[in-house]
Amino acid sequence: MVFMCWARPSPEEQKNCLIKSSDFNYDTKYKGATAKSASSLKEDHQLAKDGFSLNHARVLVGSGLQAFEKGKSALQTWRHFGLNWAYVDPKTPIQSGQKFCVCVKEFLPWVMMPLQVVYVQESHNKKKAMASFCFGGGTLQGHLLAGEERFSIEMDEKKQVWYEIVSISKPAHFLSFIGYPYVQFRQKVFAHQSTNAVFKHVNAS
């Protein structure tokens, strides 16, 4: 089952996709796995044994509390998906259990990828002037991949603000299986363009 349409998916088409997508398409033991650090995921050999690949990008996008708040706002309004070939309805709330569609244009058709927010985390350390906000989305039935992806914005002790993407994924359909090298390439393209989108939002006057 693959959700495709020839024109940009309408809200109704996305809603139908989510209704039909039902449950997660990956092992429940990995639900919430991306809440861990990228380094710990790299050391988890069971992930590789189970066929998952790790994709990771972490980029400095600004500094100071204002930059952090702008970065948080970017994630909450899906600015990190504000691309000409990939988007999520910006009105979709970031809350645990919320289903959402990532709409991706691949060559001629659009593909709708159903996911669900697995967790949302936020922390503030006023003493050290540190803060972080993140959420992770898990793939549902009908997604071409199986796995999870985390998006986070973090202000460290030096008040540097970082945008990070961490995902674990493996093919969940024969189309993604035969074209997995291309899928991995597209993941890197997305990470680069998503980072640029967040950077522009954070640094806009």
Side-chain angles (χ1 to χ4, degrees):
M1 176 173 57
V2 180
F3 301 105
M4 293 191 295
C5 55
W6 293 106
R8 186 181 176 92
S10 67
E12 190 63 30
E13 287 172 319
Q14 293 178 57
K15 182 179 179 180
N16 289 335
C17 166
L18 295 177
I19 290 173
K20 295 176 182 178
S21 61
S22 65
D23 206 359
F24 293 101
N25 67 353
Y26 63 106
D27 197 317
T28 55
K29 71 179 181 181
Y30 288 121
K31 278 184 66 178
T34 54
K36 301 176 183 177
S37 67
S39 58
S40 65
L41 290 172
K42 287 178 184 177
E43 295 170 359
D44 189 342
H45 302 298
Q46 190 60 45
L47 277 172
K49 285 183 179 179
D50 287 345
F52 288 98
S53 295
L54 176 68
N55 183 45
H56 178 228
R58 187 171 186 262
V59 178
L60 183 68
V61 294
S63 63
L65 183 59
Q66 184 178 15
F68 169 77
E69 292 295 342
K70 281 188 173 182
K72 176 182 171 182
S73 171
L75 297 192
Q76 290 176 322
T77 55
W78 300 92
R79 295 294 184 98
H80 55 302
F81 268 99
L83 312 177
N84 59 3
W85 59 274
Y87 74 93
V88 173
D89 183 346
K91 296 179 182 177
T92 304
I94 306 295
Q95 58 189 35
S96 183
Q98 175 69 46
K99 289 186 176 184
F100 63 95
C101 259
V102 172
C103 300
V104 179
K105 185 172 177 59
E106 291 293 350
F107 302 107
L108 292 178
W110 282 86
V111 181
M112 290 175 284
M113 306 284 199
L115 297 98
Q116 183 172 319
V117 177
V118 178
Y119 61 87
V120 181
Q121 297 178 348
E122 184 169 8
S123 66
H124 294 270
N125 186 326
K126 293 183 179 180
K127 186 178 291 186
K128 294 185 178 180
M130 298 169 64
S132 66
F133 173 80
C134 73
F135 72 94
T139 56
L140 300 174
Q141 300 293 334
H143 199 295
L144 291 177
L145 297 178
E148 205 172 271
E149 188 164 36
R150 166 169 60 85
F151 301 98
S152 63
I153 198 81
E154 176 188 6
M155 183 171 67
D156 64 20
E157 291 178 314
K158 297 179 181 179
K159 294 188 177 182
Q160 293 179 314
V161 177
W162 301 85
Y163 171 52
E164 184 175 44
I165 302 172
V166 177
S167 69
I168 56 169
S169 65
K170 62 181 179 180
H173 190 277
F174 82 92
L175 288 176
S176 52
F177 180 80
I178 62 174
Y180 199 51
Y182 173 75
V183 171
Q184 291 177 307
F185 167 73
R186 292 291 274 176
Q187 285 178 322
K188 294 186 183 302
V189 170
F190 168 76
H192 176 70
Q193 294 187 4
S194 179
T195 296
N196 286 342
V198 173
F199 181 86
K200 288 179 181 178
H201 181 74
V202 168
N203 292 281
S205 58

